[in-house]
Amino acid sequence: QVQLQESGPGLVKPSQTLSLTCTVSGGSITTNYYYWSWIRQPPGKGLEWIGYIDYSGSTSYSPSRKSRTSISRDTSKNQFTLQLSSVTPEDTGVYYCATGVVADQYDYWGQGTQVTVSS
């Protein structure tokens, strides 16, 4: 059973960079053919896909925030990390990491972590 756990600061100031880490247990982030994704849910809205890093290390990002997004991984720690730069209050929400063998379908989810962007 794959388990994912998000970690990172719950409060970020506007214009700063949001950085979250997803620690994976019960499976390797290099296992063929898994996609390791970041998804968020702003208050009162639906889920928004942010991007993924796949088993080979290739990345893909949502076009709407591609210029501000970076997803990387540390295979020695079995972790992958989201960095979202120049945040605004519109980036507030619950952030999830998730994985599956199809890029937009998720078999396993983390519990989610609340991030608030506020001065």
Side-chain angles (χ1 to χ4, degrees):
Q1 177 90 2
V2 176
Q3 294 183 321
L4 301 94
Q5 179 66 59
E6 305 90 349
S7 59
L11 180 64
V12 183
K13 288 182 166 47
S15 80
Q16 293 188 341
T17 296
L18 179 162
S19 184
L20 297 174
T21 295
C22 184
T23 301
V24 179
S25 59
S28 170
I29 62 173
T30 61
T31 298
N32 296 345
Y33 297 94
Y34 278 82
Y35 295 83
W36 304 90
S37 300
W38 285 100
I39 301 147
R40 72 183 188 184
Q41 186 167 29
K45 298 184 179 180
L47 294 171
E48 298 179 352
W49 175 70
I50 300 170
Y52 68 68
I53 186 165
D54 74 11
Y55 58 96
S56 70
S58 297
T59 55
S60 180
Y61 305 127
S62 170
S64 63
R65 60 188 73 82
K66 183 177 181 178
S67 64
R68 302 194 292 126
T69 306
S70 177
I71 299 175
S72 59
R73 66 180 184 173
D74 185 335
T75 56
S76 67
K77 295 181 179 179
N78 216 33
Q79 296 175 332
F80 62 106
T81 298
L82 167 69
Q83 291 194 307
L84 185 65
S85 63
S86 305
V87 296
T88 72
E90 286 67 41
D91 293 307
T92 293
V94 179
Y95 284 71
Y96 299 91
C97 54
T99 190
V101 293
V102 178
D104 60 353
Q105 295 180 24
Y106 312 107
D107 300 314
Y108 303 99
W109 291 76
Q111 65 182 20
T113 187
Q114 173 70 45
V115 177
T116 300
V117 179
S118 174
S119 56

